[in-house]
Amino acid sequence: MPAKGKHRRPKSRSLTRGLVAAGTGGAALALPLIGGTAAHAAPAAAPAAAERAVAPAKTVAAAAQAVAKKAGTVTYSVVAGDSLYKIAEEHSLNGGWKQLYKDNRKAVGADPALIHPGLRLTIGAKAEAAPKAKPQAEAKAAPKAAEEAETSEKAERAAETARADRSERKSAPVAQAAAAPAKPAYANNLDGWIRESLDVMAQHGIPGSYEGIHRNIMRESSGNPLAINNWDINAINGTPSKGLLQVIQPTFDAYHVEGTAYDLFDPVANITAACNYAADRYGSIDNVNGPY
């Protein structure tokens, strides 16, 4: 046990430690003694100030990450064999290939069926930016407008109920007309037949591109919708290949697409049935590069 009255020489630093012996009866307790000088107390506030300065920066970074996550856009580079339909399906895009084309119309151009390898598409982009905030005067007027709207709400509901029976008979056709876009006009030529077929195929989830269809048509019939093959094995068996994509009647019957004419020589019916068959057999008409 150290003798009482002896102390260590203090060192020149802001905090010094020593031991004080306190007696309690016959036992002695060694208590730490901590001493500090007022001159060195101020720097402790510096880390706290730095922490407060860093906090807004962290908040801004977190907000930026949240905005980026919410945006959810993806940039995709087109490769050989791609089509807007195929890309939209692979990315489960709401609105399908038509929404993808709408979002990237400037990059794709006037022909949605003609995309080239290397073309960069934005997937999941919003069609329009969020509207700018209203001027301060309009913002102040908003509460008053809301109050007036609330006042007239009961009267509006009463009038709505009165019109319910009359409008019920008309609402369904009007809603359907509003939802259905105007049917585009297609040229009565090979280009128009292919484009109309692509729209029908998109509605039924049948893959295929303009280039894939056009390439196979030119090989099979040179673009003649009335072409007939009277010399191959199908002709010998009594079912000659007919039309733009040289389809035999049994295949047409099995793969006819609803909404098209039930006529093997009809260009759109012939194309869509052939593409439906090619999708089932080869994955897509784009994968067909010879007799099929």
Side-chain angles (χ1 to χ4, degrees):
M1 178 175 180
K4 293 183 181 180
K6 291 187 178 181
H7 303 280
R8 296 182 183 178
R9 183 182 299 275
K11 295 182 180 179
S12 40
R13 56 184 179 182
S14 58
L15 296 177
T16 60
R17 294 179 178 272
L19 294 176
V20 173
T24 59
L29 299 176
L31 303 176
L33 179 63
I34 302 175
T37 59
H40 295 282
E51 250 178 68
R52 289 195 299 274
V54 171
K58 289 183 178 177
T59 304
V60 171
Q65 289 177 356
V67 169
K69 184 176 180 182
K70 186 176 180 181
T73 58
V74 175
T75 300
Y76 178 82
S77 182
V78 174
V79 298
D82 269 348
S83 66
L84 293 184
Y85 173 84
K86 180 179 178 183
I87 297 168
E89 283 292 300
E90 290 177 350
H91 289 80
S92 301
L93 180 64
N94 288 336
W97 72 270
K98 291 186 178 181
Q99 184 62 45
L100 180 60
Y101 175 54
K102 181 179 179 183
D103 293 341
N104 295 273
R105 186 182 181 92
K106 186 174 180 181
V108 174
D111 187 356
L114 189 60
I115 57 176
H116 302 284
L119 178 67
R120 296 178 70 81
L121 302 175
T122 300
I123 300 175
K126 293 184 179 178
E128 294 179 358
K132 294 183 179 179
K134 292 184 178 181
Q136 209 171 28
E138 291 183 8
K140 288 182 179 179
K144 185 178 179 181
E147 188 178 346
E148 292 175 357
E150 187 177 355
T151 304
S152 63
E153 188 176 349
K154 291 182 180 179
E156 179 110 11
R157 282 202 300 268
E160 214 174 297
T161 304
R163 293 193 303 266
D165 290 338
R166 185 175 67 251
S167 63
E168 187 176 354
R169 295 187 298 271
K170 300 178 181 178
S171 61
V174 171
Q176 289 175 357
K183 186 176 180 180
Y186 302 101
N188 188 27
N189 55 27
L190 182 58
D191 178 74
W193 300 330
I194 295 176
R195 293 184 187 282
E196 184 174 356
S197 298
L198 284 169
D199 283 348
V200 174
M201 289 162 59
Q203 293 170 15
H204 292 272
I206 303 171
S209 68
Y210 186 102
E211 187 277 332
I213 296 173
H214 186 273
R215 169 168 45 82
N216 281 282
I217 286 176
M218 297 312 293
R219 184 191 66 252
E220 294 291 332
S221 67
S222 300
N224 178 9
L226 301 178
I228 303 177
N229 184 327
N230 289 315
W231 57 87
D232 67 1
I233 187 64
N234 290 319
I236 294 171
N237 292 333
T239 55
S241 304
K242 301 177 182 179
L244 289 173
L245 281 169
Q246 292 293 280
V247 182
I248 62 175
Q249 190 67 47
T251 300
F252 180 81
D253 293 341
Y255 290 93
H256 173 258
V257 177
E258 186 180 354
T260 63
Y262 207 91
D263 179 1
L264 188 53
F265 284 111
D266 180 83
V268 174
N270 188 283
I271 292 172
T272 53
C275 290
N276 196 16
Y277 163 75
D280 184 43
R281 184 80 181 272
Y282 306 101
S284 171
I285 190 69
D286 295 343
N287 299 328
V288 177
N289 295 290
Y292 66 112

